């Protein structure tokens, strides 16, 4: 990427931290052994995986034995939802989730519906937050198997009241799961304090490598997950296959860096986000999508007048922003998240997600804001 390119799509993925890359490189060539081999090189690779597991566990205040390495958060979600459900086919066939969840959760739940599971999708208010009273009304004591609520929404940055949700869930003798992909590494995500049974996340959202993720399963909970992949019994029998040692090592290093850098990152990133937000909200007719107060400090989702997000993204090739989730933003359709929050198609298609990372500079702001201001002034209305 040349120096004229500015990247404001950090909720899709982040650039790898130099410290993380340096930690990974030896495991591609010099220390390349299979972590399950019993010779000296294999034992060394296994030790590196063990260290990484400890670092990941420390980041979320878990026990290392509760961390299962996967290929990413989407696989973690699939293992958890399918494996848990298929373990309980004779009873507790009720699952509750939210309309604004990531497609990895929504689509997996739709698949489980086809197998006969009863799925309730909670509504959200205009600010993107769920209604806790609705959850209390829908949850069925001793029949609901699982409540799955995303910690931080990937499109709006809205932060759900996770601890309150887990309390309601456990009062009904159900399990609580959260997709914490946008939260881990950016916020304090203490699994014990928040009474989380199952959590899914991935390091490429906090300056780690792609192609690796984690599934946390609280060993003290009643979460019993059926293995969906067989062939060696790796990762506590839940995810057979040769471990991706370089990526796992990078995951561990990214976790260490997140612990060190979290306070500074929040201060730097929130300052940039707030400047951009204040500038864009001065555009007549613009408004914020999602709660202003219950929101991740790096995310700005804004609806703009006389604006087409898809045209903007295609026109300004030296600016990386998003019109929604990276998993679906290539499709010219309304965001299911914004639609659930009450936006119509015109408003949804006229909304931009701007997600800031630690590599962004204050000098990036003017280029982005001027381009958006120009398009709002000179663009064609979608109406």
């Amino acid at each position: 990427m040349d120096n004229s390119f500015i990247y404001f799509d950090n909720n899709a993925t982040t650039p790898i931290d130099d410290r993380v890359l340096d930690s990974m490189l030896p495991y591609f060539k010099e220390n390349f052994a299979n972590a399950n081999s019993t010779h000296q090189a294999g034992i060394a690779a296994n030790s590196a995986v063990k260290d990484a597991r400890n670092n990941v566990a420390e980041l979320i205040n878990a026990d290392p034995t509760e961390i299962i390495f996967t290929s990413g958060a989407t696989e973690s979600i699939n293992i958890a939802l399918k494996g848990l459900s298929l373990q309980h086919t004779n009873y507790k066939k009720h699952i509750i989730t939210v309309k604004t969840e990531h497609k990895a959760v929504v689509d997996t739940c739709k698949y489980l519906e086809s197998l006969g599971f009863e799925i309730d999708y909670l509504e959200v208010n205009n600010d993107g937050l769920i209604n806790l009273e609705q959850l209390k009304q829908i949850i069925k004591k001793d029949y609901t198997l699982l409540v799955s609520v995303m910690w931080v929404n990937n499109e709006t940055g809205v932060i759900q009241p996770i601890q309150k949700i887990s309390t309601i869930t456990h009062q009904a003798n159900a399990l609580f799961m959260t997709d914490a992909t946008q939260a881990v590494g950016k916020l304090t995500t203490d699994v014990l304090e928040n009474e989380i049974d199952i959590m899914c996340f991935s390091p490429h959202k906090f300056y780690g490598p792609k192609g690796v993720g984690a599934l946390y399963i609280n060993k003290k909970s009643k979460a019993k997950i059926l293995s969906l992949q067989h062939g060696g019994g790796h990762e506590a029998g839940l995810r057979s296959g040769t471990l991706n040692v370089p990526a796992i090592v990078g995951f561990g290093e990214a976790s260490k860096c997140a612990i060190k850098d979290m306070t500074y990152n929040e201060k730097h990133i929130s300052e940039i986000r707030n400047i951009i937000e204040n500038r864009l909200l001065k555009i007549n007719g613009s408004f914020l999508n999602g709660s202003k107060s219950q929101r991740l400090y790096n995310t700005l989702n804004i609806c703009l007048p006389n604006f087409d997000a898809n045209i903007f993204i295609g026109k300004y090739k030296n600016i990386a922003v998003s019109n929604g989730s990276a998993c679906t933003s290539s499709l010219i359709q309304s965001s299911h998240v914004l639609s659930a929050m009450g936006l119509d198609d015109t408003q949804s298609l006229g909304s931009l997600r701007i997600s800031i990372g630690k590599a962004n500079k204050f000098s990036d702001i003017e280029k982005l804001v001027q381009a958006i201001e120009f398009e709002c002034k000179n663009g064609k209305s979608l109406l």
Side-chain angles (χ1 to χ4, degrees), residues 67-84 104-105 108 177-181 198-203 212-217 225 228 238-239 251:
I67 302 296
I68 306 298
F69 287 121
T70 68
S71 67
T74 292
E75 184 186 5
S76 298
I77 289 165
N78 273 263
I79 291 173
L81 285 175
K82 294 175 183 175
L84 185 69
V105 171
T108 304
M177 167 177 154
T178 183
D179 169 8
T181 308
I198 302 169
M199 189 164 81
C200 308
F201 55 105
S202 177
V212 65
L215 171 61
Y216 159 79
I217 306 172
I225 295 178
L228 304 179
L238 287 180
R239 209 268 181 176
F251 195 166

Side-chain angles (χ1 to χ4, degrees), residues 131-280:
N131 186 322
L132 295 177
E133 292 304 314
Q134 185 191 19
L135 174 59
K136 291 176 183 178
Q137 292 170 6
I138 290 176
I139 200 166
K140 302 173 184 179
K141 186 174 178 63
D142 295 323
Y143 179 69
T144 298
L145 171 63
L146 179 75
V147 175
S148 182
V149 178
M150 182 187 285
W151 199 317
V152 174
N153 188 270
N154 55 304
E155 293 192 27
T156 62
V158 168
I159 303 172
Q160 298 290 350
I162 293 299
Q163 190 168 34
K164 292 180 180 179
I165 297 169
S166 67
T167 297
I168 295 169
T169 300
H170 292 137
Q171 287 172 346
N173 198 27
L175 296 168
F176 178 65
M177 167 177 154
T178 183
D179 169 8
T181 308
Q182 296 293 344
V184 174
K186 303 171 188 173
L187 302 175
T188 300
T189 47
D190 189 316
V191 293
L192 298 182
E193 181 181 329
N194 290 281
E195 299 180 279
I196 293 166
D197 298 302
I198 302 169
M199 189 164 81
C200 308
F201 55 105
S202 177
H204 79 96
K205 306 295 187 180
F206 56 97
Y207 315 102
K210 302 174 184 64
V212 65
L215 171 61
Y216 159 79
I217 306 172
N218 187 330
K219 62 184 179 182
K220 295 182 180 179
S221 78
K222 298 178 182 178
K224 305 299 179 185
I225 295 178
L226 185 70
S227 177
L228 304 179
Q229 184 166 306
H230 305 91
H234 308 81
E235 294 303 286
L238 287 180
R239 209 268 181 176
S240 292
T242 303
L243 293 177
N244 185 350
V245 177
I248 289 171
V249 168
F251 195 166
E253 186 65 25
S255 299
K256 285 174 59 179
C257 293
I259 293 170
K260 295 176 184 176
D261 300 347
M262 201 176 297
T263 300
Y264 172 79
N265 287 344
E266 179 173 359
K267 181 178 184 298
H268 171 71
I269 292 169
S270 60
E271 286 177 358
I272 293 177
R273 196 276 305 273
N274 292 341
I275 293 171
I276 296 172
E277 181 174 308
N278 290 335
R279 285 281 299 276
L280 294 182

Side-chain angles (χ1 to χ4, degrees), residues 209-349:
K210 302 174 184 64
V212 65
L215 171 61
Y216 159 79
I217 306 172
N218 187 330
K219 62 184 179 182
K220 295 182 180 179
S221 78
K222 298 178 182 178
K224 305 299 179 185
I225 295 178
L226 185 70
S227 177
L228 304 179
Q229 184 166 306
H230 305 91
H234 308 81
E235 294 303 286
L238 287 180
R239 209 268 181 176
S240 292
T242 303
L243 293 177
N244 185 350
V245 177
I248 289 171
V249 168
F251 195 166
E253 186 65 25
S255 299
K256 285 174 59 179
C257 293
I259 293 170
K260 295 176 184 176
D261 300 347
M262 201 176 297
T263 300
Y264 172 79
N265 287 344
E266 179 173 359
K267 181 178 184 298
H268 171 71
I269 292 169
S270 60
E271 286 177 358
I272 293 177
R273 196 276 305 273
N274 292 341
I275 293 171
I276 296 172
E277 181 174 308
N278 290 335
R279 285 281 299 276
L280 294 182
L281 285 177
K282 291 179 181 178
I283 299 173
N284 189 33
S286 65
F287 60 86
L288 186 68
N289 294 322
S291 170
K292 187 175 179 64
S293 59
Q294 300 299 313
R295 180 177 43 139
L296 187 66
Y297 56 83
N298 83 316
T299 305
L300 167 61
N301 194 306
I302 189 166
C303 183
L304 298 155
N306 302 323
F307 190 83
D308 186 318
N310 288 289
I311 290 176
F312 180 87
I313 292 167
K315 179 177 178 179
Y316 291 88
K317 300 187 185 301
N318 63 333
I319 298 175
V321 289
S322 174
N323 58 342
S325 168
C327 298
T328 55
S329 59
S330 61
L331 303 175
I332 301 177
Q333 61 183 28
S334 297
S335 158
H336 75 285
V337 172
L338 299 184
S339 295
M341 291 166 56
L343 275 70
D344 60 31
D345 287 347
T346 297
Q347 293 169 327
S348 181
L349 293 170

Side-chain angles (χ1 to χ4, degrees), residues 94-125:
H94 180 227
I95 294 172
I96 299 172
T97 188
V98 186
K99 287 187 174 182
T100 55
E101 291 289 304
H102 190 277
K103 287 291 186 180
V105 171
V106 173
D107 289 353
T108 304
C109 284
K110 288 179 180 177
Y111 167 74
L112 292 174
E113 280 188 281
S114 74
L115 299 183
F117 285 85
E118 179 186 347
I119 314 290
D120 273 315
Y121 299 88
L122 293 169
E123 305 279 350
V124 294
N125 300 321

